[in-house]
């Protein structure tokens, strides 16, 4: 897989070069946080519950949610390429409470 390793304040991300010009990956490659207000809200309100994350993409939310929430992050990504990126993002960050499936919701 031809990918870029990017970092921001929440973690490390594997981004396939084919999507690197899209808005979310581009922002993360610059070291910024994609949808920061959404992440802040989710991190403040997840408490003990699980999170269902449909359209996990390359895993832009996974490190922040995993570190903030006690429950399981259930990620779903139908694209095989993005699924592999999300898996690698999980591995790079040693995320233990993340379960990603290669299916769409």
């Amino acid at each position: 897989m031809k990918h870029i390793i990017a970092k921001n304040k929440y973690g490390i991300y594997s981004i396939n070069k084919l999507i690197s010009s899209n808005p979310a990956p581009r922002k993360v490659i610059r070291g910024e946080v994609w949808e920061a207000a959404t992440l802040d809200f989710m991190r403040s309100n997840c408490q003990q519950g699980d999170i269902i994350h449909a359209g996990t993409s390359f895993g832009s939310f996974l490190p922040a949610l995993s570190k903030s929430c006690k429950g399981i992050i259930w990620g779903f990504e139908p694209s095989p390429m993005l699924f592999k990126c999300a898996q690698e993002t999980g591995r790079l960050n040693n995320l233990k409470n993340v379960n990603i499936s290669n299916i769409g919701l």
Side-chain angles (χ1 to χ4, degrees), residues 13-16 19 24-25 28 56-60 62 77 82 85-86 89:
Y13 306 86
S14 175
I15 300 171
N16 189 294
I19 64 161
V28 173
T56 302
S57 186
F58 62 92
S60 61
L62 297 180
E77 177 50 57
L82 293 175
C85 289
T89 293

Side-chain angles (χ1 to χ4, degrees), residues 8-11 17 20 24-25 31 33 35 37 48 51 55 57 64-65 69 85 93:
N8 67 18
K9 69 180 185 177
Y10 293 119
K17 288 183 180 181
S20 63
V33 176
E35 293 190 6
Q48 302 294 324
I51 292 176
S57 186
L65 294 179
C69 300
C85 289
N93 291 281

Side-chain angles (χ1 to χ4, degrees), residues 22-35:
N22 293 352
R26 191 172 60 234
K27 193 162 192 168
V28 173
I29 289 167
R30 290 192 311 252
E32 300 172 22
V33 176
W34 176 249
E35 293 190 6

Side-chain angles (χ1 to χ4, degrees), residues 43-81:
R43 292 174 62 237
S44 296
N45 291 285
C46 63
Q47 299 169 358
Q48 302 294 324
D50 292 357
I51 292 176
I52 296 173
H53 184 354
T56 302
S57 186
F58 62 92
S60 61
F61 280 23
L62 297 180
L65 294 179
S66 175
K67 293 171 187 166
S68 299
C69 300
K70 305 274 189 247
I72 297 171
I73 313 305
W74 300 94
F76 299 90
E77 177 50 57
S79 163
M81 176 190 64

